[in-house]
Amino acid sequence: LEDMNIKANYAPKTYSVNITDYNEGGAITGAASGVYSYGDVLNLTAKSNEDYVFDGWEINNQNNGNDNEISIVVNESKDIKANFRRDVFLQSFSMSRGWNWISSYVNEPIPVSTFLGNVTHIVSQFDEIIKDPVYGMIGGIETLMPGVSYKMDASYSSMKSFKGHLHDLASTPIELHTGWNWVSYPYVEEKEISDVLVNASEGDYMTSQFGFSEFADGYWEGTLNTLTPGYGYIYKSSTDKTLVFDFSNKQSRAKAMRANTYSDETHSYDVDAHKYPSTMNVVARISGGIDNLNTENCRIYAFAGNELRGESRSVGDNHYLTIYGDDETNVTFVVENTTNGDTFLAKETVMFNSEVLGSRKAPFSITVSETTAINNSADTSRKMKIYSIEGVLINSKATTESLKKLSRGIYIIDGQKFMVK
């Protein structure tokens, strides 16, 4: 055999490296995805975008340090990702003309002065500031603080936006005292009330400008299902405690909330939720001697004089009613059968106050026994006297045509109460 020169050639092993080089929070520089040889060193830097901070490396689904600069030796296939988290948030307040319940989810106090071109009155649970035509703004509120809610009276619709860090509940918890507490919703996303409020007690209430819910028997029930960023809330607590929130991502605990068939924003367009600063909430049940009246197909209307102040939503056998106002005034109730339009005047009259009347287990009774439809009145061809519900004479010689021109409300016609729809 002839002499042979035999040489073995070796090459380094190669590995696939995948680098997620960009996402919403920032980017990775220094190397790109590709095929690398065994022993290659990748020098990577994580750079966060505005309002974000670097939150650690993730290599092959394992945490791998929090220094934004890292050297990685290629010795296997690698999947490299830099995690970023938002550190600064945009807080926006969208205000309608009139009263708005608002709260902030940022940790930094927001100067009241930024609202004063539009807002004429700001109220907190314990203080207020008012725009005086001579002396300017008078009162003790200088900043909007995290953890609490406010009521603002706006001259026109507007939006204000601010930046800040997310409310740190660990350092600034929301403390509740027995009774009413004006609280914030300290988060940037809408969440179900049953998912995030984890330490509610029997008999607690959470109210918003557009609805309310009660916690009893381990679940929430009412017209307030969702907590919304920027909205203000008033919490009635049965005990002194710290309000505990859980914002972790998980499926909704459906059994913890008996939902109504209406969303928080389906309040009646006939009721101006922004006209008054305060609400009175009622858990009611309809009773009385009306044959074949299915109370679940009914709606309760609340009137102050001839002004519609509230409209109920039914949840099971109960009706949840938010009534708007700002001072003591008599409230009259009318029940409507939504299937045929029949209306009935309730016997009960209450005085408006910022409380909850009735509860899930002991609802306020709305008793009906007589129809209030105008077409059930006596001979309408003759002249009639029409009074407001307060007893003020409106027309002493009314005719059928006069009745058709009446605005919606409750009237006394020839000594009997009637509802005009």
Side-chain angles (χ1 to χ4, degrees), residues 372-380 382-389 392-395 397-400 402-404 406-407 409-420:
T372 66
I374 284 290
N375 57 14
N376 287 330
S377 62
D379 181 11
T380 55
R382 62 182 176 80
K383 303 298 183 182
M384 296 169 285
K385 289 185 178 181
I386 303 177
Y387 293 84
S388 70
I389 194 67
V392 177
L393 180 63
I394 296 175
N395 193 333
K397 297 180 180 181
T399 64
T400 303
S402 302
L403 299 181
K404 295 178 181 179
L406 291 174
S407 58
I410 305 172
Y411 298 87
I412 300 173
I413 303 174
D414 283 351
Q416 298 184 51
K417 292 180 182 178
F418 295 97
M419 163 91 173
V420 175

Side-chain angles (χ1 to χ4, degrees), residues 53-339:
V53 294
F54 175 64
D55 199 31
W57 295 98
E58 192 174 306
I59 300 178
N60 293 343
N61 296 319
Q62 300 293 319
N63 293 331
N64 203 80
N66 294 313
D67 191 335
N68 71 313
E69 294 183 351
I70 190 173
S71 294
I72 299 174
V73 178
V74 177
N75 54 13
E76 62 178 340
S77 295
K78 293 185 181 294
D79 189 1
I80 302 171
K81 179 182 178 183
N83 292 315
F84 303 91
R85 61 175 173 82
R86 180 176 284 277
D87 185 51
V88 177
F89 293 82
L90 181 68
Q91 167 76 77
S92 295
F93 299 106
S94 179
M95 292 188 291
S96 299
R97 185 175 183 272
W99 286 97
N100 301 265
W101 294 18
I102 69 168
S103 70
S104 171
Y105 53 70
V106 299
N107 215 45
E108 292 80 2
I110 297 174
V112 164
S113 58
T114 57
F115 293 93
L116 299 186
N118 175 24
V119 173
T120 60
H121 195 177
I122 303 175
V123 180
S124 71
Q125 188 170 5
F126 304 109
D127 210 339
E128 66 179 338
I129 183 170
I130 303 174
K131 187 174 184 179
D132 184 88
V134 177
Y135 300 102
M137 299 304 295
I138 301 174
I141 303 175
E142 296 182 355
T143 57
L144 305 186
M145 300 299 294
V148 296
S149 64
Y150 300 84
K151 299 177 182 179
M152 287 190 175
D153 189 8
S155 301
Y156 51 86
S157 298
S158 65
M159 178 174 287
K160 294 286 186 179
S161 297
F162 308 85
K163 279 189 174 183
H165 296 85
L166 189 63
H167 181 177
D168 184 2
L169 289 168
S171 62
T172 312
I174 299 177
E175 301 291 350
L176 301 180
H177 300 287
T178 302
W180 292 104
N181 304 264
W182 292 29
V183 302
S184 70
Y185 174 57
Y187 200 56
V188 297
E189 298 176 1
E190 286 190 348
K191 293 281 188 178
E192 295 289 313
I193 184 174
S194 57
D195 286 341
V196 297
L197 292 181
V198 299
N199 69 327
S201 303
E202 184 79 9
D204 285 2
Y205 292 88
M206 176 69 101
T207 70
S208 75
Q209 192 171 6
F210 307 112
F212 73 108
S213 285
E214 177 192 1
F215 189 81
D217 293 334
Y219 64 93
W220 290 94
E221 179 180 289
T223 53
L224 174 61
N225 299 336
T226 305
L227 300 180
T228 303
Y231 282 14
Y233 296 89
I234 302 180
Y235 193 104
K236 186 176 185 181
S237 180
S238 58
T239 61
D240 291 349
K241 61 191 173 192
T242 300
L243 193 58
V244 178
F245 293 87
D246 179 5
F247 297 119
S248 60
N249 293 322
K250 56 180 177 292
Q251 291 184 344
S252 177
R253 296 191 293 270
K255 67 178 182 179
M257 179 76 200
R258 184 176 179 183
N260 61 311
T261 56
Y262 300 84
S263 69
D264 296 346
E265 293 299 327
T266 57
H267 49 277
S268 170
Y269 290 103
D270 292 327
V271 182
D272 186 354
H274 300 283
K275 186 175 181 179
Y276 298 99
S278 301
T279 63
M280 176 181 181
N281 294 292
V282 183
V283 184
R285 187 166 296 178
I286 301 170
S287 61
I290 307 300
D291 293 335
N292 301 318
L293 181 63
N294 184 346
T295 59
E296 289 189 17
N297 293 331
C298 289
R299 186 166 295 154
I300 303 172
Y301 298 97
F303 285 88
N306 285 331
E307 182 182 7
L308 181 63
R309 295 284 191 90
E311 179 182 333
S312 75
R313 302 284 185 255
S314 63
V315 184
D317 293 330
N318 292 332
H319 288 258
Y320 288 76
L321 172 64
T322 295
I323 306 170
Y324 297 90
D326 62 350
D327 54 17
E328 291 188 349
T329 185
N330 284 323
V331 176
T332 304
F333 301 102
V334 171
V335 175
E336 179 185 38
N337 184 345
T338 57
T339 59

